[in-house]
Structures are given as structure tokens and as C-alpha cells.
Amino acid sequence: APAPAAAAAPGADEIYVVRSGDTLSGIAKRVGLAESELMALNRIRDRDFLFEGQRLRVSRAATPAAAAAVAAT
């Protein structure tokens, strides 16, 4: 089983490294953000332009739903 992700400190940014086969919508769902929020946070203009190894900022404190998801784990 995969190791559980460590919870981020409140207000801290986390980094997600894009893997082969990842999609922006899939990453957004996995980290608890709307796709548009993830795009804005990383200044992504083309949702179809991701590459393996790309480092995306994901702020767990960006939305109340994301913060609740972290607290529930």
C-alpha cells in the first residue's frame, strides 16, 4: 500500500510532481482543488500542457473543502 501523505502545515504550500498519465483534472481532484484553482495557482494557461516531472504547487489551505479533507485523514 502507498505511504500516506504527510499533512501540510496550515497555509503551507505543497509540491506535486506530475507523473506519466496524470491529467490536470485528476491531480486537482486528488489534492482537493478545483481545476481552475490549480491552474491559477501554477499560472497554467493550457490545461492539456503538462509534462512528466513538472512540479505543481498545491496549497492545501486554498479552499475550506481541501482543509477539511486534510483534517479528516
Side-chain angles (χ1 to χ4, degrees):
D13 283 340
E14 288 186 33
I15 300 296
Y16 178 86
V17 180
V18 176
R19 292 178 276 183
S20 178
D22 277 344
T23 62
L24 194 63
S25 61
I27 295 167
K29 184 176 181 178
R30 187 176 303 133
V31 300
L33 295 173
E35 187 175 332
S36 59
E37 291 173 304
L38 187 58
M39 289 178 71
L41 187 61
N42 290 282
R43 298 182 182 143
I44 295 172
R45 292 186 179 154
D46 183 351
R47 65 185 300 277
D48 296 319
F49 186 72
L50 288 180
F51 57 90
E52 189 174 354
Q54 183 175 358
R55 296 170 59 87
L56 300 178
R57 290 178 47 207
V58 285
S59 179
R60 291 275 186 197
T63 64
V70 170
T73 59

